[in-house]
């Protein structure tokens, strides 16, 4: 089955074609960063308008790359939520309309499910059950995953998402939007132990997070060192260390609580090299296997949407002709019957 994946939940237009026999055939991600950068954050109306302009040409580009025509598609998957409603509606309307015109099954995919299953685009694939850390610009979740569609949220952020904290701190440091990756690059040049930032909520029992206080703490330190350009890298380093240790402590606690032997991290912040290194270290110590997607699939992309679409369409899921998108959509509402992920091929792209 060849499934076209359409991702338009925020500020990236991601398009891909996933073949359930051959793997990923083609994919492209177009980032709107340049459009939103002057405003220091995503402007929803501009995001929607740009998706309107880009989505169809990108679909044609991906079809060309895969040496296919619209008629060769056997299914369509679009991001149904959570996300910006206007942006979601662009992908949903286009996906649904194409599906109707081509008379092929179409399905709306949960953006977070797509992120947390994105490591299945790689080999080796994780085994169920596993603990998933979803660390992105909009979400910070620790999830018990016992199968596709079987998700139990153990903890989440009570305020800012971890990627949001990276982006806001990066902005305070004068780095361009979105800033997470730029802050991480700056941190690599920073001196260890010049500053020490608090590790929010690590002493509290449970698995929830809070990052807004850390961002405020960073703003005070930055204000106290205005004019000291050399301090910036040291501040970035201390901030990153605090975030990484906070995430690691909660992952370690959740691994202990669940007894799981597999840890998956996904979402934009899972691209962070210090986080990966720290988690690799604790996983080695505990004999736990760690999985994460390649960097380009950590952030928003169409490949993960096409993949989950193929999975659910092959499991027999179908949607009617109505176009419903969801700005908020609890992951735990998802369900799916028995589904053998291992029968899916390795990625070919
Ligand atoms: O998953 P994603 O594309 O968007 C959401 O679904 O929210 O994640 C984007 C987030 C941004 O906050 C970005 O700054 C952050 O991921 N990010 C990083 C890194 N690369 C991207 N944060 C820290 N270190 C990185 N290397
Ligand atoms: Zn995302």
């Amino acid at each position: 089955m060849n499934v076209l994946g359409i991702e338009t939940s925020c500020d990236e237009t991601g398009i891909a074609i996933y073949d359930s026999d051959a793997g990923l055939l083609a994919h492209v991600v177009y980032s709107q960063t340049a459009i939103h950068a002057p405003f220091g954050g995503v402007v929803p109306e501009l995001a929607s308008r740009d998706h309107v302009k880009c989505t169809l040409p990108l679909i044609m580009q991906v079809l060309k790359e895969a040496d296919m025509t619209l008629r060769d598609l056997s299914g369509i998957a679009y991001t149904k939520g959570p996300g910006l409603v206007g942006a979601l509606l662009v992908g949903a309307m286009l996906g649904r309309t194409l599906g109707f015109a081509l008379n092929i099954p179409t399905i709306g995919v949960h953006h977070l499910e797509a992120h947390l299953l994105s490591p299945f685009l790689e080999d080796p694939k994780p085994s169920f059950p596993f603990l998933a850390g979803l660390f992105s610009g909009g979400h910070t979740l620790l999830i018990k995953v016992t199968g596709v569609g079987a998700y139990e949220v153990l903890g989440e952020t009570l305020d800012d998402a971890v990627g949001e904290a990276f982006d806001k701190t990066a902005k305070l440091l004068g780095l361009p939007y979105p800033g997470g990756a730029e802050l991480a690059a700056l941190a690599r040049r920073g001196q260890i132990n010049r500053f020490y930032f608090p590790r929010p909520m690590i002493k509290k029992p449970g698995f929830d997070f809070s990052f807004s206080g850390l961002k405020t703490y960073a703003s005070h330190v930055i204000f106290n060192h205005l004019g000291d350009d050399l301090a910036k890298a040291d501040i970035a380093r201390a901030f990153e260390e605090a975030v990484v240790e906070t995430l690691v402590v909660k992952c370690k606690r959740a691994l202990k609580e669940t007894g799981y032997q597999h840890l998956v991290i996904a979402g934009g912040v899972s691209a962070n090299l210090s986080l990966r290194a720290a988690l690799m270290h604790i996983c080695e110590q505990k004999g736990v296997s760690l999985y994460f997607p390649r960097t380009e699939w950590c952030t928003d992309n169409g490949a993960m949407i096409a993949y989950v679409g193929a999975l659910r369409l092959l499991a027999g899921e179908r949607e009617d002709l109505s176009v419903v998108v969801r700005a908020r959509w609890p992951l735990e509402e998802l369900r799916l019957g028995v589904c053998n992920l291992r029968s899916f091929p390795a990625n070919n792209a």
Side-chain angles (χ1 to χ4, degrees), residues 7 9-12 82 111-112 115 134-139 161-168 170 177-185 188 239-240 243 266-275 295 297-301 304:
E7 156 62 36
S9 68
C10 192
D11 58 345
E12 264 108 19
H111 183 82
L112 301 186
H115 268 305
L134 198 65
F135 306 137
S136 75
H139 298 87
V162 59
E164 194 180 349
F166 261 102
D167 295 345
K168 287 178 175 170
Y177 167 83
E182 304 246 7
L183 189 153
R188 272 195 287 283
F239 171 83
E240 187 186 55
V243 171
V269 179
S270 70
N272 186 280
L273 296 179
S274 304
L275 176 65
T295 305
W297 294 336
C298 289
T299 44
D300 292 346
N301 64 85
M304 64 184 191

Side-chain angles (χ1 to χ4, degrees), residues 219-241:
S219 75
H220 290 308
V221 179
I222 292 166
F223 184 76
N224 288 335
H225 291 82
L226 281 179
D228 176 1
D229 266 4
L230 288 177
K232 285 188 174 177
D234 304 335
I235 293 170
R237 175 123 190 189
F239 171 83
E240 187 186 55
E241 271 174 6

Side-chain angles (χ1 to χ4, degrees), residues 4-18 24 26-31 51 62 77-79 109-119 121-122 266-268 270 293-309:
L4 174 73
I6 306 173
E7 156 62 36
T8 63
S9 68
C10 192
D11 58 345
E12 264 108 19
T13 317
I15 308 291
I17 300 170
Y18 185 85
L24 195 68
H27 86 111
V28 62
V29 177
Y30 167 76
S31 172
H51 287 309
V62 158
Y78 60 84
T79 306
V109 167
H110 195 294
H111 183 82
L112 301 186
E113 177 176 55
H115 268 305
L116 80 85
L117 297 181
S118 59
L121 286 163
E122 307 285 10
S270 70
R294 69 191 65 178
T295 305
E296 62 185 314
W297 294 336
C298 289
T299 44
D300 292 346
N301 64 85
M304 64 184 191
I305 304 300
Y307 177 76
V308 172

Side-chain angles (χ1 to χ4, degrees), residues 164-203:
E164 194 180 349
F166 261 102
D167 295 345
K168 287 178 175 170
T169 305
K171 192 175 175 182
L172 291 166
L173 286 167
L175 299 171
Y177 167 83
E182 304 246 7
L183 189 153
L186 183 64
R188 272 195 287 283
R189 303 206 306 269
Q191 195 182 310
I192 317 175
N193 295 336
R194 173 160 175 210
F195 298 103
Y196 183 87
F197 279 41
R199 278 61 171 150
M201 290 184 73
I202 59 168
K203 298 251 162 64

